[in-house]
Amino acid sequence: MFGLRPSTYFVILLPGMAGIDFVFTLLYAGLSGNWAATGSAVLLSVVMLGAINLMMGRLLIDPIRRAEQGTNNSISRLSRRLRSLPFLTSAWVFCLTILYAMANFSLGTFILPQSETSDVPAGLLITTVGWFSFVYACQFSLYAYFVGMDVSAYARKWLLAEKGITVRASYTPLAVRVVLGMVVITFLPASIIVLDALYFVDVRALQGLTLEKAILLDVAATIVTACISIFFISRSFTRPLDQLRTAMEEISRGRYLARAAEMTDDELGHLARRFNRMAQELEEKEAIRVTLHKFVNRDVANLLISAGKEDPRLAGELRLATVLFTDIEGFTRLSETISPVQLIDVLNEYFDTVSKIIRKYEGLVLNYNGDSVYAVFNVPTDDPKHAANALHCALEIQKTLETLNFSGGITLPTRIGLNSGPVVAGLVGTDHRLEYSVYGDVVNVASRLEHMNKELETSVLASASTARLAWGLNGSSLEFIPQGEKAVRGKMNSIEVFEVVALDGDSNQEPAVESKLG
C-alpha cells in the first residue's frame, strides 16, 4: 500500500466494513440455515456500509487529500484532521452501524420467515434490537478507529517523504488503544454470551439459532473482531518502530538528514520527535565539523565540537613537540614574474601538496603565512615518534617537490627547519575570533633554522634535540650531517645544527654522526 496516496488508502479501507459484515452474515446464515437473509443483508450492507460510508469517508479525508495535491496551505488544519481522524471515523461509523443494524432488524432480515414475533414480548424484542445494534456498532467503530489511526500514521509518513511536511504528534497514551481493544474483544463478547444464555433465547429462536448455535456465532464473531484488532494494534506498534529503526540505520551511516515521521499521537510519536531533535543536532554538528575542517585541523575541530574550548587540551597545555617551518626558495622573484591570479593558483597547489604530506605523518598545519607553512607534531594528539615523523615528512616534501611541476611548469624548491622541545598549545585570541597555535622558544628556533638553510646552502636543518629524539626511534634510515654550533638571532647561546638527508640503500647503514647523537 505504500505506493498509494493516504486518501486512496483511506477510501479503500473504510468501506471494507461491508466485507466484514458479509463474513458475519455468512456465519449467521450457515448456522441458522436462513440463506434467504443474505440477499437483502448484502444489498443493504453495500448501500450503507459501502456507498454511503465511502461518500462520508471522502469528506473526512478531504484536508489530507488537499495536502497531497498541494492545495491545503494550513498545516494546523491538516494536523487537527490527522489527530482527530480516528475519533471522527469511529463516531461516524458507530452512528451509521446503529442505523444499519436497526434497519436490518426492522426489515426482519435476520428473522426466519415462518417465525412469529408476536410470541416474544415487545419490550424484550426492543431491548434485544437495541443491544445487538449497540454491540455491532461498537465492533465496527473499533475497526473504524483503527483504520483512522492506521491511515493517519501512513499519511504522516507519506507527507514527510513526498512533501516534506512534518506533523507534530499530540499525546494520547498507548494504554487507551489497548484498553479499547480489550473492551471490544473481551467484555462485549462475554456480555453477549451471558445475555444470550439468560435473556435472548427466545429472540435467538426467531432467528433460527439454538442457544449453542447463538454462542457459537458469538464466539466466531469475537474471533474475527479479535484478529482484526490484533492486526491493527500490532501495526500501530511495528510501523513506527520500523521507520525509527530505518532512520537510525541512516544516521549510523552518517546520513544526518534522515528523519522519522511522528506517525502516532502517543509515546512512539514523541519518541520519534526526540529522535528527530537528536538527528538535527547531529546534522548541525556535522555541518560545523565540515566547515571547521576547512579552517582548522581535523583533531582540533573534533575537540572543539565534542569538548568545547574549556577542554584542557585547548585551554593551554604544555607539550613536548616538534615544530616544522617551510619556505619557498626565490618566492619574491617568482611573484614578480607571474600574475597575482596565477600566483594564488600555484600557492594553493603547493599548500595542498605540502599539507597532505604533513597530515600523512600525523602533523598539524597551524598556519599559512605568505609562502611558508607552519606545522607541529605531537599536538594536540599524542605521537611518541613525533620527531622521526617530522623529519621523514620534511624529506618526503623535498623528494615530492623535486619532481613536481605546478601550474605553468613552475617548480618550487623549499627550505625546511625543525626543532623539538616544550611548547604551550591551545586556543588564543578574543571572544570574537580564536586560533589554535603553539608558543615557545622552540617555535622561534625552528623558524630561524629554516632561514639558516640559505646561509648553509642546505634544504633541511634540524636542531640537536630533534635529531636525538628521532635517532632513538627511527634514526637508522636518516643521516644527520653536523653543521656545527651556530648562533641564532635572538638567542644568547648557540645551538648544534644538523643537515638531515635520507640514507640510500641499506637502512642499517651506520649514520655518519652516531657518536654525536649518542
Side-chain angles (χ1 to χ4, degrees):
M1 288 285 189
F2 186 75
L4 295 176
R5 290 175 176 265
S7 57
T8 306
Y9 187 32
F10 183 70
V11 297
I12 289 175
L13 286 180
L14 190 58
M17 294 167 48
I20 300 172
D21 180 70
F22 180 67
V23 172
F24 289 157
T25 300
L26 290 180
L27 287 172
Y28 162 74
L31 290 170
S32 66
N34 186 14
W35 292 100
T38 57
S40 57
V42 168
L43 179 61
L44 192 61
S45 177
V46 169
V47 173
M48 295 190 69
L49 301 184
I52 296 176
N53 203 15
L54 177 61
M55 289 187 288
M56 186 62 182
R58 291 179 65 86
L59 292 176
L60 290 173
I61 204 70
D62 186 63
I64 301 171
R65 181 180 59 81
R66 290 178 180 274
E68 296 169 0
Q69 298 171 347
T71 58
N72 182 5
N73 297 321
S74 175
I75 298 298
S76 60
R77 184 185 178 209
L78 173 64
S79 299
R80 287 195 301 270
R81 181 51 52 92
L82 284 170
R83 291 165 185 163
S84 62
L85 187 63
F87 302 102
L88 290 175
T89 308
S90 179
W92 153 250
V93 167
F94 182 86
C95 297
L96 178 66
T97 309
I98 287 282
L99 294 174
Y100 168 73
M102 295 185 71
N104 267 314
F105 282 112
S106 300
L107 295 172
T109 303
F110 297 110
I111 302 296
L112 292 176
Q114 66 273 21
S115 299
E116 293 291 337
T117 56
S118 59
D119 295 338
V120 179
L124 176 61
L125 194 60
I126 293 172
T127 302
T128 305
V129 171
W131 169 250
F132 280 109
S133 298
F134 172 76
V135 171
Y136 211 56
C138 286
Q139 290 176 327
F140 276 109
S141 65
L142 179 68
Y143 168 80
Y145 176 83
F146 285 136
V147 166
M149 186 177 61
D150 194 60
V151 171
S152 176
Y154 177 82
R156 296 173 199 227
K157 184 177 181 180
W158 190 93
L159 289 169
L160 178 63
E162 300 295 331
K163 301 293 183 179
I165 299 174
T166 298
V167 178
R168 300 298 181 192
S170 60
Y171 183 67
T172 303
L174 283 168
V176 172
R177 189 185 317 159
V178 176
V179 169
L180 283 174
M182 292 299 294
V183 166
V184 176
I185 294 173
T186 59
F187 175 73
L188 285 179
S191 302
I192 295 172
I193 292 172
V194 170
L195 292 175
D196 273 342
L198 296 179
Y199 300 107
F200 299 148
V201 175
D202 293 339
V203 176
R204 287 300 200 183
L206 293 177
Q207 295 180 303
L209 296 172
T210 63
L211 177 59
E212 291 79 6
K213 289 182 178 180
I215 292 175
L216 184 59
L217 177 61
D218 295 338
V219 171
T222 300
I223 291 174
V224 173
T225 304
C227 289
I228 294 171
S229 299
I230 291 170
F231 170 76
F232 280 110
I233 289 175
S234 64
R235 273 168 68 88
S236 71
F237 286 96
T238 57
R239 288 176 71 178
L241 290 174
D242 282 344
Q243 64 112 25
L244 265 175
R245 176 183 55 78
T246 301
M248 287 179 183
E249 289 175 353
E250 291 293 299
I251 293 291
S252 69
R253 297 188 183 102
R255 299 167 185 168
Y256 298 113
L257 291 174
R259 296 292 184 272
E262 298 175 23
M263 296 177 67
T264 53
D265 294 313
D266 51 31
E267 290 85 348
L268 293 177
H270 283 257
L271 178 62
R273 180 182 300 180
R274 293 186 181 95
F275 171 83
N276 289 337
R277 288 175 183 167
M278 178 202 72
Q280 184 176 359
E281 290 174 1
L282 290 173
E283 180 190 354
E284 291 170 354
K285 281 190 173 183
E286 182 62 17
I288 293 171
R289 191 191 309 274
V290 170
T291 303
L292 280 175
H293 287 172
K294 296 178 181 179
F295 297 94
V296 299
N297 174 268
R298 184 178 300 271
D299 295 325
V300 177
N302 292 341
L303 281 176
L304 281 168
I305 294 171
S306 61
K309 67 179 183 179
E310 302 304 323
D311 188 284
R313 290 168 292 180
L314 296 174
E317 181 184 21
L318 184 64
R319 306 276 296 193
L320 176 63
T322 298
V323 178
L324 178 149
F325 274 92
T326 75
D327 190 68
I328 299 173
E329 294 182 24
F331 179 74
T332 302
R333 185 174 62 253
L334 174 65
S335 62
E336 294 174 348
T337 59
I338 61 176
S339 68
V341 173
Q342 186 182 3
L343 182 64
I344 291 296
D345 291 339
V346 170
L347 279 177
N348 285 336
E349 291 181 47
Y350 169 79
F351 288 146
D352 184 63
T353 301
V354 172
S355 297
K356 285 179 179 177
I357 299 173
I358 292 172
R359 287 195 296 270
K360 174 183 174 181
Y361 287 93
E362 307 298 327
L364 167 62
V365 176
L366 294 174
N367 196 9
Y368 303 106
N369 186 14
D371 62 316
S372 67
V373 179
Y374 169 26
V376 65
F377 296 76
N378 202 35
V379 173
T381 55
D382 293 328
D383 178 14
K385 298 182 178 181
H386 59 91
N389 281 337
L391 290 171
H392 283 292
C393 173
L395 294 177
E396 184 167 331
I397 289 173
Q398 292 290 359
K399 183 177 180 181
T400 301
L401 295 177
E402 285 176 2
T403 58
L404 186 62
N405 291 326
F406 295 95
S407 297
I410 296 172
T411 58
L412 298 175
T414 298
R415 295 185 290 257
I416 301 174
L418 303 102
N419 187 28
S420 302
V423 299
V424 175
L427 291 173
V428 294
T430 68
D431 291 337
H432 303 290
R433 188 173 186 273
L434 291 171
E435 182 179 89
Y436 186 83
S437 191
V438 298
Y439 291 88
D441 185 58
V442 172
V443 179
N444 298 326
V445 172
S447 178
R448 299 289 184 261
L449 290 177
E450 181 274 310
H451 288 293
M452 198 179 291
N453 278 293
K454 185 175 182 180
E455 173 190 335
L456 300 177
E457 297 182 349
T458 54
S459 297
V460 179
L461 282 180
S463 65
S465 59
T466 302
R468 289 191 180 95
L469 287 171
W471 171 248
L473 291 170
N474 201 15
S476 59
S477 60
L478 302 171
E479 183 176 3
F480 300 94
I481 303 173
Q483 301 296 312
E485 293 192 355
K486 302 293 182 181
V488 177
R489 184 162 56 89
K491 288 186 64 69
M492 296 180 60
N493 300 322
S494 60
I495 64 170
E496 192 174 6
V497 178
F498 295 88
E499 180 186 7
V500 184
V501 296
L503 282 175
D504 295 326
D506 187 359
S507 62
N508 292 321
Q509 178 181 340
E510 189 174 305
V513 290
E514 181 180 0
S515 60
K516 288 274 186 183
L517 299 177

